[in-house]
Amino acid sequence: KEERDSTLRGVDEEHAADMHLCASLGKELLISNQKNNANLFSQPSIPAYEWIHAKTAKDEDYPIAIRTVAQEPLLNDTCVNILLSAAEDYWEQESCKGGDGTTSRFTYQQPGNAELHVADLALANSTVQSIMTNLLSHQLYPLVRHAFDPILWNHDEAAAAQFCVYDSLLIKYNATEAHGFGTNAKASINNNTPNQGAGQPLHRDLGLVSVNVMLNSRDEFQGGGTFFENQLLALIEDNQFHDD
């Protein structure tokens, strides 16, 4: 029991350090007003969005997520290119240090994925920090407030609440490598591991609200997307799933 408690304390301490690091991207009420370059950053606004609904076994709709439908992306091409370039530089530098260079500290891993904490980039690159600060203060925090405040809490609680970043990852997927573990199809077969697409397994984030920002245009890939387990709720309630 003593060894178990010591292990749990170590996990909690590392977890708290990671939370502190990611929160450095900017808390909602503490983000300072910056004189942003109009060619680089968007102006403050709430992006247009629509609700995604799931159905119960009684065919009743209930909201589970939102997706933006605005013509302008949350990040313009210049900002995206800066982030991607900084990420590639980071992975290369980490590899030069003798490590893998593509794995984050506490996320799910699949073949072909490359991951990092955006806060790590922001610490080393002031432009990345400015991009993330602008994205949070001008778009994401207002968007989350507008959509989820009525669901999360009453008026007084909403006024007292303060959002911050619990965790922020930049993930690169390699569909070719993930499908059959690259060119080593024989190893995949011998290990009884089926071919799979690039992505994350079904999981639950620990933040109050999760936000996914696509960094590729839709014409650059096929497939993709996000699946929510509650989208199967109607089938589960209707006993259309079995253990076997």
Side-chain angles (χ1 to χ4, degrees), residues 126-198:
S126 60
T127 303
V128 170
Q129 177 71 67
S130 296
I131 290 173
M132 295 306 300
T133 297
N134 180 79
L135 177 64
L136 288 165
S137 61
H138 286 188
Q139 294 179 289
L140 292 188
Y141 286 148
L143 174 62
V144 170
R145 282 286 188 188
H146 189 272
F148 293 100
D149 265 3
I151 298 175
L152 295 174
W153 34 49
N154 61 41
H155 181 271
D156 291 337
E157 290 172 332
Q162 180 189 78
F163 283 115
C164 69
V165 178
Y166 169 80
D167 192 13
S168 180
L169 297 174
L170 191 154
I171 306 176
K172 179 174 70 174
Y173 299 110
N174 186 324
T176 302
E177 184 175 346
H179 187 70
F181 290 19
T183 59
N184 194 0
K186 183 177 180 180
S188 176
I189 295 174
N190 291 339
N191 291 328
N192 296 319
T193 303
N195 290 341
Q196 59 183 319

Side-chain angles (χ1 to χ4, degrees), residues 89-101:
D89 289 344
Y90 177 88
W91 287 319
E92 183 177 356
Q93 292 171 8
E94 290 299 305
S95 295
C96 290
K97 295 178 183 178
D100 181 290

Side-chain angles (χ1 to χ4, degrees), residues 4 14 50 69 88 116 134 147 242:
R4 174 179 176 275
E14 183 175 345
E50 64 183 8
V69 294
E88 293 293 346
L116 56 79
N134 180 79
H242 306 282

Side-chain angles (χ1 to χ4, degrees), residues 55-58 232-242:
K55 286 186 177 294
T56 67
K58 297 180 180 179
L232 297 176
L233 184 60
L235 298 176
I236 296 173
E237 291 181 344
D238 202 30
N239 293 320
Q240 294 188 36
F241 280 103
H242 306 282

Side-chain angles (χ1 to χ4, degrees), residues 52 79 115 197 217:
I52 298 173
C79 291
E115 306 181 359
S217 62

